[in-house]
Amino acid sequence: MRVDVFVNMQAGLVNSGFAEEKITGKIRTALFRCELFFHCTRSVQEMSEALVRCCQEKSDHILLCGGDGTLSCALRTLIPLKQENVVLPIISVIPLGTANDFANETGVSSKIENAAHLILEGKIAE
């Protein structure tokens, strides 16, 4: 299973010193059976371009590490693709933003390993 992991390097917890190596290490541990591709993005354009490539390369899952702004940025790129009948990967979130309202409202764990592991459990927030 291919999982493209996006770490927003400007997200609240990441930007305040949460080490990139710690984040990626915990994800590698939780998803050790998956084929992981990490994208540590620093701008909206960089994230948008990488998301389009992931869809073109038929990623199975997109794992967004950030907060509500990261999710919003990703959706602004992905929704137009969906409207063009592009098959989108499943989207999951690891809450590393400042407020993480979406993750909190949908019950996503604040523990990186638990949030990442939801991909393997096939749980979908509705």
Side-chain angles (χ1 to χ4, degrees):
M1 171 186 331
R2 177 187 170 127
V3 179
D4 283 272
V5 181
F6 285 81
V7 180
N8 178 358
M9 300 307 293
Q10 305 303 316
L13 292 176
V14 180
N15 201 24
S16 67
F18 205 139
E20 176 185 339
E21 299 82 28
K22 186 172 185 177
I23 296 166
T24 58
K26 288 181 178 207
I27 293 169
R28 286 182 198 282
T29 299
L31 301 176
F32 69 93
R33 290 191 173 120
C34 298
E35 184 180 14
L36 300 173
F37 294 87
F38 287 90
H39 310 271
C40 295
T41 59
R42 297 186 188 287
S43 71
V44 170
Q45 182 172 347
E46 188 179 352
M47 176 182 270
S48 181
E49 291 169 357
L51 283 165
V52 170
R53 280 193 309 275
C54 291
C55 292
Q56 292 169 339
E57 295 169 2
K58 307 292 187 214
S59 180
D60 297 303
H61 294 279
I62 291 174
L63 181 57
L64 300 170
C65 302
D68 300 317
T70 303
L71 180 59
S72 177
C73 173
L75 292 177
R76 282 194 306 271
T77 298
L78 297 171
I79 288 172
L81 293 176
K82 179 69 173 171
Q83 292 170 336
E84 295 172 11
N85 296 318
V86 173
V87 177
L88 298 181
I90 295 170
I91 301 168
S92 300
V93 177
I94 293 181
L96 295 178
T98 303
N100 304 305
D101 292 328
F102 175 80
N104 290 332
E105 287 298 316
T106 56
V108 176
S109 175
S110 61
K111 292 187 177 186
I112 293 173
E113 301 91 333
N114 295 350
H117 201 265
L118 289 175
I119 288 174
L120 299 177
E121 294 174 12
K123 292 187 178 175
I124 298 175
E126 298 184 30

